[in-house]
Amino acid sequence: MNTTIDTTEMMGFEVAFEGKYCKVSNNPSKKIIICELLADYVPIEDFKIAFGKIGELVKNGSYQKFIFDKRALRAFHQPTMEWYFLEWKKEMLGYGLNQHRKILPAEKWFEKMVQIAKEQIMKNNPDNIIDQLDIVYCDSIEEAIGR
């Protein structure tokens, strides 16, 4: 039994949709959306489709916080991160989604890859929106909800 699912359900979250690659839950009163990746790799087109659906939730609600649980990942894909960071986050900021909580896989190499990619994105895209976002790395969904 996955205790994360039980905890989020007990905290008033409902599953908005679930697929091969992710499970998305939301709680409109808390203004939070949670995306839990379910696979060790998500092809970019499938990622974009899932995040398009998440974007529809954001557009139709008044969400402020997005929790992205990437603990299942075992592969890092730079073009996906660039699209997520430069396009999706920027569009969602326009709808009020400015708090991002991230939960990374435990492997230190993954964290290092994220750091390197983020630095590269910021260097190559000086007009990025990072200064407008509240980004915090957390160890669990429960921690991310509280922060």
Side-chain angles (χ1 to χ4, degrees):
M1 183 69 135
N2 186 332
T3 56
T4 302
I5 293 170
D6 294 340
T7 302
T8 56
E9 286 175 2
M10 287 187 319
M11 295 181 83
F13 286 83
E14 293 184 4
V15 176
F17 67 90
E18 187 170 357
K20 179 178 178 182
Y21 296 106
C22 68
K23 174 182 162 187
V24 175
S25 304
N26 64 325
N27 183 320
S29 65
K30 291 183 187 289
K31 301 181 180 201
I32 300 173
I33 296 175
I34 301 170
C35 176
E36 297 174 76
L37 294 184
L38 304 174
D40 58 2
Y41 174 75
V42 181
I44 190 168
E45 289 309 316
D46 294 292
F47 186 90
K48 287 180 177 182
I49 290 168
F51 275 72
K53 290 180 183 178
I54 295 167
E56 289 305 311
L57 288 173
V58 173
K59 291 173 189 176
N60 294 318
S62 59
Y63 295 97
Q64 296 174 339
K65 184 185 290 187
F66 179 66
I67 299 171
F68 194 7
D69 184 349
K70 307 178 193 183
R71 288 178 284 188
L73 286 180
R74 296 296 172 261
F76 181 86
H77 188 245
Q78 177 81 14
T80 301
M81 183 174 176
E82 287 179 8
W83 177 85
Y84 166 68
F85 192 85
L86 295 172
E87 295 184 37
W88 189 84
K89 280 186 179 180
K90 184 175 184 177
E91 181 182 356
M92 295 305 108
L93 180 61
Y95 293 96
L97 190 70
N98 69 332
Q99 298 175 41
H100 292 266
R101 303 298 179 259
K102 300 173 183 286
I103 307 167
L104 299 178
E107 293 82 2
K108 287 296 175 193
W109 68 265
F110 195 95
E111 185 178 341
K112 187 67 174 168
M113 290 297 298
V114 168
Q115 180 183 1
I116 291 168
K118 186 175 172 183
E119 288 170 5
Q120 190 70 33
I121 290 169
M122 290 172 59
K123 179 182 168 193
N124 294 341
N125 301 277
D127 60 338
N128 68 70
I129 58 163
I130 192 147
D131 60 327
Q132 299 173 53
L133 301 176
D134 172 7
I135 300 173
V136 177
Y137 290 88
C138 301
D139 294 322
S140 69
I141 289 177
E142 296 78 14
E143 177 189 355
I145 290 169
R147 293 188 68 192

